């Protein structure tokens, strides 16, 4: 199916809309569909599209929302398109409509609302919607940045437009006074020459740098959700009206300042004006995003938006969300109970029960190892499974281990956990060539689940079978 992502972007509008449509486009391509980005683009937004290699078209004249007539389904992420245009577009094809502002108006009949913000609520009259940060359309590579705190550079990225000019110099002043010795300024804004400040120009995305910096100062946009998924300290700067909502909902979690002309202090925790920008920069290290962000935003939202759009095309409701959060030491008792379940031990390489002290030591080592990822999968806020990836960077592969809560087994949960976690691991780590699994030949339920999740046979050793999923 040909699916359109309708968004505009450029030096005036910025690149945010393109930046959140591209991950959905890539997710569609991974699922075997054809994606096309439809809109008017220049500057950084155009460079991002060209680098991504996703097909691009201008808006189709005379068509609702400018969506070409050969498109089978679409996502619309454009300001200024009237309700009548959206209504007409939804009559022609399955449609997901992105909303940033707080608005109680339901989406057009037949369309699905996407509101990924922390305070999202279901509009009156809407039966289904994609609500909250589980659906934040991020590049999954940001989740792979979670390697713990870093000392050193701070990235200043105020977007792909020039509207952040009035905030840039006060922000740099405050960061330097706070002891941050090296600042990297990305984007269209060029700082005044000074020691410790380097202009690195436009970036194709933040997925390659969030894991290498100690913090980021950015517009209060989708970048706030990227920083959360990466567990990166952030200072959010409200630059334009449509960022006010993000600044307000993130203020309890991280420093926020409103740098708009004429802004007034009307939200708790949000500073106002150039002096507040400079003062807030000193509080970057107080950000709670390193500790709380990855549990709020798991980085898999783009694939969920894709799956919901495809379900809409089939006349079905969006699939229930399985959130994949990083495990912590607080999960030790739960993980040990699942590991020591007799049915799990019977098909494990090591079948003896594990003692609590031994398990806690193992858990601490896993959490500290950058080549291992341990996730807890939640359904409606309740843990139902755990997934571990043990990577071998030199070989370009990872081994997956999955345990499902004995009380939650059945109904295809294991297959979904396998399929979604494997896609996420491969999508978030471009250097990986394959994910493999070792399954006991007697564990027929597991063998069927891996096969249904896209794994194929890759060898056998006695009673054990190796299966693999390739990129």
């Amino acid at each position: 199916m040909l699916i359109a992502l309708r968004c505009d972007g450029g030096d005036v509008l910025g690149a945010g809309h393109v930046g959140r449509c591209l991950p959905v486009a890539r997710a569609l391509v991974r699922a075997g569909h054809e994606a096309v980005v439809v809109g008017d683009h220049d500057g950084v937004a155009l460079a991002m599209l060209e680098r991504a290699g996703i097909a691009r078209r201008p808006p189709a004249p005379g068509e609702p929302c400018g969506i070409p007539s050969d498109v089978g389904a679409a996502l619309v992420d454009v300001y200024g398109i009237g309700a009548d245009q959206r209504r007409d577009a939804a009559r022609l094809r399955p449609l997901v409509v992105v909303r940033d502002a707080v608005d109680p108006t339901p989406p057009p009949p037949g369309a699905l609302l996407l509101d990924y913000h922390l305070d999202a609520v279901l509009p009156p009259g809407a039966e289904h919607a994609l609500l909250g940060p589980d659906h934040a359309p991020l590049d999954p590579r940001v989740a792979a940045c979670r390697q713990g705190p870093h000392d050193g550079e701070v990235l200043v990225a105020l977007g792909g437009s020039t509207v952040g000019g009035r905030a840039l110099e006060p922000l740099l002043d405050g960061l330097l006074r706070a002891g941050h010795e090296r600042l990297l300024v990305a984007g269209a804004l060029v700082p005044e020459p000074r020691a410790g400040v380097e202009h690195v120009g436009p970036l194709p995305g933040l997925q390659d740098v969030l894991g290498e910096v100690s913090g980021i100062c950015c517009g209060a946009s989708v970048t706030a959700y990227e920083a959360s998924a990466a567990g990166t300290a952030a200072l959010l700067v409200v630059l334009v009206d449509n960022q006010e909502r993000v600044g307000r909902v993130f203020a309890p979690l991280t420093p926020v300042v409103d740098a708009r002309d004429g802004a007034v202090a009307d939200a708790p925790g949000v500073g106002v004006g150039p002096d507040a920008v400079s003062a807030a920069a000193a509080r970057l290290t107080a950000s709670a995003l390193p500790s709380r962000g990855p549990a709020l935003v798991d980085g898999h939202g783009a694939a969920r938006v894709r799956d919901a759009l495809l379900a809409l095309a089939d006349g079905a409701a969006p699939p229930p969300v399985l959130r994949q959060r990083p495990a912590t030491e607080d999960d030790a008792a739960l993980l040990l109970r699942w590991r020591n379940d007799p049915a799990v031990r019977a098909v494990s390489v090591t079948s003896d029960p594990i003692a609590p002290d031994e398990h806690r030591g193992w858990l601490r080592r896993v959490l500290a190892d950058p080549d291992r990822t341990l996730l807890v999968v939640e359904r409606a806020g309740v843990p139902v499974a755990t997934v571990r990836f043990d990577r071998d960077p030199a070989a370009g592969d990872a081994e997956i281990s999955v345990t499902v809560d004995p009380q939650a087994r059945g109904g295809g949960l294991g297959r979904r956990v396998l399929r979604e976690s494997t896609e996420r691991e491969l999508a978030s780590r471009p250097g990986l060539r394959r994910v493999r699994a070792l399954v006991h030949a007697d564990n027929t339920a597991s063998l069927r689940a891996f096969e249904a999740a896209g794994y194929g046979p890759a060898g056998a050793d006695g009673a054990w079978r190796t299966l693999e999923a390739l990129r």
Side-chain angles (χ1 to χ4, degrees):
M1 184 192 306
L2 176 62
I3 300 176
L5 295 306
R6 175 68 177 92
C7 61
D8 297 329
D11 289 338
V12 175
L13 291 174
H17 296 268
V18 170
R20 61 191 184 188
C21 282
L22 274 176
V24 181
R26 293 191 185 101
L28 287 163
V29 172
R30 289 198 303 269
H33 296 273
E34 185 180 357
V36 59
V37 176
V38 176
D40 295 314
H41 310 107
D42 61 44
V44 174
L46 177 58
M48 290 170 61
L49 287 168
E50 291 176 341
R51 190 175 291 108
I54 300 293
R56 184 172 59 88
R57 295 191 203 174
E63 295 290 340
C65 297
I67 300 171
S69 59
D70 60 336
V71 165
L75 179 146
V76 175
D77 185 4
V78 182
Y79 299 146
I81 290 182
D84 55 341
Q85 289 263 337
R86 298 171 190 262
R87 182 189 63 243
D88 291 345
R91 287 172 176 168
L92 295 173
R93 60 184 59 83
L95 193 71
V96 169
V97 177
V98 181
R99 179 177 292 171
D100 280 327
V102 177
D103 184 353
T105 305
L112 193 60
L113 174 70
L114 168 56
D115 183 347
Y116 61 83
H117 295 293
L118 292 173
D119 61 348
V121 296
L122 188 69
E127 184 178 358
H128 301 290
L130 308 180
L131 302 178
D134 289 329
H135 299 97
L138 310 180
D139 188 318
R141 288 175 289 180
V142 298
C145 296
R146 301 172 186 163
Q147 302 296 345
H150 295 268
D151 294 324
E153 298 148 329
V154 173
L155 179 67
V156 180
L158 297 182
S161 71
T162 57
V163 296
R166 58 184 172 272
L168 180 61
E169 296 304 326
L171 183 59
L172 298 178
D173 288 341
L175 288 168
L176 291 171
R177 285 203 300 269
H180 299 285
E181 298 179 351
R182 181 163 168 75
L183 312 179
L184 306 178
V185 180
L189 298 173
V190 179
E192 296 177 1
R194 68 178 84 187
V197 178
E198 179 184 354
H199 182 231
V200 297
L203 297 176
L206 299 179
Q207 63 279 350
D208 296 324
V209 295
L210 279 178
E212 305 299 328
V213 297
S214 61
I216 181 172
C217 301
C218 57
S221 62
V222 70
T223 310
Y225 294 88
E226 293 176 315
S228 297
T232 301
L235 164 62
L236 305 183
V237 185
V238 178
L239 300 170
V240 291
D241 292 348
N242 62 20
Q243 295 180 351
E244 181 179 2
R245 180 187 184 190
V246 176
R248 184 181 69 253
V249 298
F250 270 90
L253 298 168
T254 203
V256 178
V257 65
D258 193 333
R260 292 175 295 169
D261 286 336
V264 296
D266 61 356
V270 179
V272 173
D275 291 341
V277 171
S278 182
R283 296 190 291 114
L284 176 63
T285 55
S287 173
L289 296 188
S291 60
R292 297 178 58 186
L296 286 173
V297 187
D298 70 1
H300 199 54
R304 295 191 184 107
V305 173
R306 172 204 64 200
D307 292 344
L309 180 55
L310 296 176
L312 183 64
D314 289 336
V321 170
L322 297 178
R323 177 184 292 179
Q324 304 172 30
R325 67 164 175 82
T328 71
E329 291 192 35
D330 292 338
D331 295 308
L334 173 70
L335 299 178
L336 179 62
R337 176 166 59 83
W338 289 350
R339 166 59 183 80
N340 279 343
D341 178 75
V344 173
R345 290 193 291 110
V347 292
S348 297
V349 175
T350 303
S351 59
D352 294 333
I354 303 297
D357 288 346
E358 181 183 356
H359 177 71
R360 281 191 291 270
W362 171 87
L363 180 58
R364 283 192 292 268
R365 292 191 298 273
V366 169
L367 297 179
D369 190 337
D371 290 326
R372 305 174 91 177
T373 297
L374 183 62
L375 303 169
V376 173
V377 180
E378 297 181 340
R379 182 172 56 191
V382 178
V384 293
T386 180
V387 184
R388 189 180 79 247
F389 292 98
D390 300 323
R391 288 178 292 278
D392 181 347
D397 67 10
E399 182 172 335
I400 184 174
S401 301
V402 178
T403 302
V404 176
D405 179 359
Q407 304 302 315
R409 290 172 190 160
L413 175 62
R415 291 193 296 273
R416 272 199 67 191
V417 170
L418 284 170
R419 183 177 65 252
E420 293 182 9
S421 61
T422 300
E423 178 184 5
R424 169 180 161 163
E425 180 72 2
L426 289 170
S428 65
R429 302 180 188 276
L432 277 185
R433 181 177 56 88
R434 69 168 184 165
V435 175
R436 55 185 171 81
L438 193 64
V439 183
H440 197 280
D442 292 339
N443 192 354
T444 55
S446 234
L447 290 170
R448 287 195 300 267
F450 274 99
E451 181 180 357
Y455 282 72
D461 183 6
W464 295 94
R465 303 290 181 266
T466 300
L467 303 100
E468 65 179 7
L470 301 176
R471 174 173 297 279

